[in-house]
Amino acid sequence: MTGLLGWSSRWLRLLRAPSPGRNALYRPVDRARHRLTLLLLGLLALAVAASVATAAVVLRSAHAEAQAAAAHLRPVAAVVLSAPEAPPGPAVSPGPVPGHGRAQVSWTALSGRPVTALVFVAIGTQPGATIGLWVNDADVPTHAPRTDAELRIGAFTVGVGVMIGLSLFLAALHMVAAHHLQHHAEALWEAEWERVEPWWSGRTPGPPG
């Protein structure tokens, strides 16, 4: 996080700085750095747009899938037939849930026939109590449909993940490009120093031509 904040602050300082074209002290490598910063800022803006678009697409797709799944689900009122415990055999309802045990419950199918299943029920539920269940077309207990809040959280998480991934990629790209420019600047400085050093140290009578 500190690295990203420092990266952003350097960009803001460069944007507030005078344009390289109007500053005679700017070297060609400084102009290249400025252009690189502007390019990366543009790419970062595109990354934000891509993240928002991805989240929107994921949310729209999740809504469509949830609606299609909800068309095959229905709530039922099931009567608890036994106290919650841990009988042999797996429960068919989603679970396990802390504070819940498996119990036999019964409800009426759309065809009118009674259906019995082993599901997870809150500990302390007495036989004869009525609980709510979600079942599919085959009258098998299943998870409740996902809520809008869950769908939005999922889409937001995907969007944030895309943004983080693209930001890390751009940060790495910036580091590589900045290293290349720095290496180039050092090479230019060394070449210029080799030209000026004899005059600066007094080994030659006049400044370099």
Side-chain angles (χ1 to χ4, degrees):
M1 179 62 71
T2 302
L4 288 177
L5 290 176
W7 189 38
S8 301
S9 65
R10 287 195 297 271
W11 278 6
L12 292 175
R13 286 198 302 270
L14 284 173
L15 287 177
R16 290 195 296 265
S19 171
R22 299 195 300 269
N23 193 331
L25 296 179
Y26 267 69
R27 300 165 298 172
V29 68
D30 296 320
R31 296 185 178 91
R33 285 172 176 156
H34 191 84
R35 288 193 295 268
L36 174 64
T37 298
L38 293 179
L39 174 62
L40 290 177
L41 277 175
L43 292 176
L44 183 60
L46 290 177
V48 173
S51 302
V52 173
T54 300
V57 170
V58 170
L59 181 60
R60 185 163 54 248
S61 176
H63 268 301
E65 292 179 0
Q67 290 175 355
H72 299 280
L73 302 177
R74 66 184 180 92
V76 297
V79 178
V80 178
L81 303 179
S82 63
E85 54 182 357
V92 296
S93 70
V97 181
H100 287 62
R102 290 173 291 187
Q104 291 285 343
V105 300
S106 178
W107 67 93
T108 302
L110 291 177
S111 62
R113 65 180 178 84
V115 180
T116 301
L118 186 64
V119 302
F120 285 94
V121 177
I123 297 295
T125 304
Q126 299 298 316
T130 301
I131 62 171
L133 288 179
W134 283 88
V135 298
N136 58 21
D137 291 336
D139 276 296
V140 175
T142 186
H143 292 281
R146 297 177 65 188
T147 64
D148 283 345
E150 292 173 332
L151 297 177
R152 292 180 184 276
I153 290 174
F156 175 79
T157 302
V158 172
V160 169
V162 171
M163 184 62 211
I164 291 175
L166 291 176
S167 297
L168 291 176
F169 172 76
L170 290 177
L173 182 64
H174 176 268
M175 291 176 61
V176 171
H179 177 75
H180 175 75
L181 287 176
Q182 181 62 28
H183 180 74
H184 181 64
E186 291 174 357
L188 291 177
W189 187 91
E190 290 289 345
E192 184 66 14
W193 177 246
E194 289 180 0
R195 189 176 70 89
V196 173
E197 189 274 336
W199 169 77
W200 182 85
S201 63
R203 292 190 292 109
T204 58

